[in-house]
Amino acid sequence: MYTAEYYFAEIVSAILGISYPFIYQIIARIDDKYHSVNLVRLFRKGMAFRLFNALLIILLAIAVGMPFIIGKSGGDTPFEWLSVQGFSMFVICLTFITLIRLFFKIGRYYDPNDLCDDIETKLKNRAADLRYELKSLTACEAEISRILRACKVSQYWISDYEKNRWRAPIQKCQEKRRTILEQEIPGDLTFKCLTDLLMYSVRNNDASLYVKLNDLLYWCILQ
């Protein structure tokens, strides 16, 4: 006799019982391999890991609430895609896809060269975003400064209060730029992972990895 909520609860229990302890054991092995808490944090901040956790919470909520939502127990529950069962199956399929993606991500973390490539991609994307943000702040500050200079020679009188209101965005741009240069860049998690991986290459006498990471570190300093 087919009971949708029963089988759904069984599937959720299997996912939790097999995957979750296994994943956390793998995370611990990443720390043991590289001696880097930063790499563990980077993995946990990854989209695949966060999505997998969110989907598990949704699955648990559905598994607990499905018998009450359906309102049947012990009888046949016909399956329909446009129903709670259909949504539940969609979430299960999405969870398995995310789990497969997560395993591929774990494999890349276990290979230092693949991990180096991922860190390089993240750093270059982050550098491009920061360059764009700094450029936007500079352009905004220059535009407001131009308006203030024009006010000094304008035939229309502008009060000091209005001038101070125009100066406030300039101060915000300067504070944001200072925060980026003094806090965000030195405290970037991916950059810390780069230095940790560089230390790993030194400990393991991996010359090719060391040269690659050293070049990337030099590029970051130039940026």
Side-chain angles (χ1 to χ4, degrees):
M1 184 176 294
Y2 177 77
T3 307
E5 55 268 31
Y6 172 78
Y7 287 114
F8 181 79
E10 290 292 322
I11 294 174
V12 173
S13 300
I15 294 175
L16 289 174
I18 297 175
S19 63
Y20 217 70
F22 181 65
I23 289 173
Y24 271 91
Q25 183 180 2
I26 290 174
I27 292 175
R29 290 185 63 185
I30 292 175
D31 189 14
D32 294 338
K33 179 180 178 68
Y34 298 107
H35 302 289
S36 171
V37 178
N38 294 318
L39 282 170
V40 174
R41 291 174 180 169
L42 186 66
F43 178 82
R44 291 170 64 93
K45 288 182 65 176
M47 180 60 67
F49 184 78
R50 289 187 297 171
L51 181 58
F52 183 72
N53 283 335
L55 289 172
L56 284 183
I57 294 174
I58 295 174
L59 287 176
L60 283 173
I62 297 175
V64 173
M66 182 178 285
F68 303 99
I69 296 174
I70 295 176
K72 296 180 181 180
S73 60
D76 292 339
T77 305
F79 178 81
E80 297 178 359
W81 280 108
L82 297 177
S83 63
V84 177
Q85 300 100 313
F87 175 75
S88 303
M89 288 302 299
F90 171 77
V91 176
I92 288 176
C93 294
L94 186 59
T95 303
F96 276 112
I97 293 173
T98 306
L99 184 59
I100 293 172
R101 182 182 176 187
L102 189 59
F103 283 148
F104 277 108
K105 194 69 177 179
I106 290 171
R108 294 190 67 83
Y109 267 77
Y110 274 18
D111 189 329
N113 290 290
D114 289 341
L115 181 57
C116 177
D117 293 337
D118 291 344
I119 289 176
E120 181 178 2
T121 301
K122 288 179 180 293
L123 285 173
K124 290 186 175 180
N125 290 337
R126 179 61 173 159
D129 293 340
L130 287 176
R131 279 196 299 268
Y132 177 79
E133 187 173 1
L134 290 172
K135 185 178 179 180
S136 299
L137 291 172
T138 302
C140 179
E141 182 180 351
E143 181 65 20
I144 298 175
S145 300
R146 184 186 65 80
I147 294 174
L148 287 175
R149 288 193 299 269
C151 292
K152 294 180 180 180
V153 297
S154 174
Q155 59 179 332
Y156 301 102
W157 182 80
I158 298 178
S159 66
D160 291 337
Y161 174 75
E162 291 293 332
K163 291 180 181 178
N164 290 331
R165 288 188 61 187
W166 281 103
R167 291 191 183 100
I170 295 179
Q171 294 177 353
K172 290 182 179 179
C173 291
Q174 292 173 347
E175 291 175 1
K176 180 62 177 176
R177 184 188 300 109
R178 190 179 304 112
T179 301
I180 292 174
L181 296 176
E182 296 179 2
Q183 298 180 17
E184 292 187 17
I185 294 178
D188 185 76
L189 179 60
T190 310
F191 183 76
K192 292 180 180 179
C193 291
L194 167 63
T195 57
D196 290 348
L197 194 58
L198 183 62
M199 294 175 61
Y200 167 82
S201 67
V202 174
R203 289 195 304 268
N204 290 270
N205 297 320
D206 193 334
S208 60
L209 181 62
Y210 173 80
V211 172
K212 188 176 182 179
L213 289 167
N214 194 56
D215 291 342
L216 181 58
L217 179 62
Y218 182 69
W219 178 86
C220 292
I221 295 173
L222 291 179
Q223 296 301 309

